[in-house]
Every structure is written in C-alpha cells, then in structure tokens.
Amino acid sequence: MADGAEASASNTHDPRSGEPFPFKCGWFGDGGLGEKMIDAIVSGRKTATACPVYDPEDAEFREGDRLQLTDKHGRPRGLLRIVKIEVRPLSSFDEALAAREGSGTLSELKEKLDFANGRDLPPNEEMRVVHFEMIRGTPKNP
C-alpha cells in the first residue's frame, strides 16, 4: 500500500499480535504528498493505493488486516481495514481506480506513481492494488 515510496509498513510486524500494521504516509522531501494522501484517506476521497508487486513494504498485507495510518513523523492519524487486494498491470488502470486512489485523473495517478517510485513505470509493470476502508481518522494533529 505504498504508492511507491510514499507509504510504508514495518517488515517487523507480527501479524499474530492482533495489533494493526504500521502504515506510514509520506517521507522527508515528499513536497507535502504524504499529508495530501492522509487528508484524502481521512476524508474518504482515497480508498485504494498501488505499488509495484516487487515492493516489499506491503507484501505481507492480507484482506481484513488493520493498518495504523501515521504521518512521516510517526504520529497516528487513523485506522484502516484492507477490504481487497489485487495484482494487475499498470496498463489496466482506469479512471475509476484513479478516483479511488484519490488522484483525480488517470494521468495524474501515473505521474504520482512515477514520482513516488523515482522512475517512469512501464505499462506492463505488475502492480499491487490495495483497497481499504477508514475505521476512524484524525484530519490533522496540532
């Protein structure tokens, strides 16, 4: 659930613990993208995220898992539940997925994915798409 490098989950999480997976949105130098993502998630405008399948950050996620949404400073911002995970080529992305991604248009989603991954993703790039729902959220921390 990384939109490339903009979000990450800890690979030290023990799924048997019953605790939510950490899910950090943003990184230092992201130009505010992480905070925009958090705002879109908390407001309900963003209900999906995508990354290349080889990205290890969210490879252990499963449907039903809970995610603790945090900002790049580690402050809790919400609790999410994964409702669906799919693998599909980038070329199959459409306007409906771009809307669920909170990106606006398909071309804006492609630009965001390229920026977050630090390269132009080819159309045949296999992508992991994680769909989620907000359980509870906090728009901004003081």
Side-chain angles (χ1 to χ4, degrees):
M1 185 174 225
D3 285 328
E6 72 206 33
S8 65
S10 168
N11 54 9
T12 61
H13 180 268
D14 179 0
R16 296 165 295 185
S17 70
E19 293 296 314
F21 282 85
F23 178 55
K24 185 171 102 177
C25 284
W27 67 95
F28 293 98
D30 69 3
L33 182 58
E35 194 59 40
K36 289 176 187 171
M37 281 182 39
I38 291 169
D39 289 343
I41 291 169
V42 171
S43 71
R45 293 186 323 271
K46 180 174 175 64
T47 60
T49 193
C51 67
V53 293
Y54 61 79
D55 189 333
E57 295 296 333
D58 63 354
E60 61 187 274
F61 290 167
R62 301 291 176 261
E63 289 180 18
D65 284 346
R66 293 177 306 135
L67 307 174
Q68 178 66 60
L69 177 65
T70 62
D71 64 19
K72 64 184 168 189
H73 304 287
R75 293 181 295 227
R77 299 292 296 279
L79 186 63
L80 311 172
R81 180 181 302 114
I82 297 174
V83 295
K84 178 180 172 184
I85 299 173
E86 59 183 329
V87 174
R88 56 196 271 197
L90 181 60
S91 61
S92 74
F93 284 21
D94 55 20
E95 295 293 338
L97 178 58
R100 287 190 298 279
E101 256 270 356
S103 297
T105 67
L106 185 56
S107 62
E108 290 169 332
L109 172 57
K110 174 91 169 86
E111 284 179 33
K112 183 178 75 167
L113 289 168
D114 289 347
F115 172 74
N117 287 282
R119 65 185 177 92
D120 288 337
L121 297 174
N124 65 343
E125 184 87 45
E126 286 291 309
M127 304 293 288
R128 181 182 308 111
V129 181
V130 178
H131 302 265
F132 53 86
E133 63 185 0
M134 173 64 69
I135 298 171
R136 67 176 176 273
T138 306
K140 290 213 184 239
N141 281 345

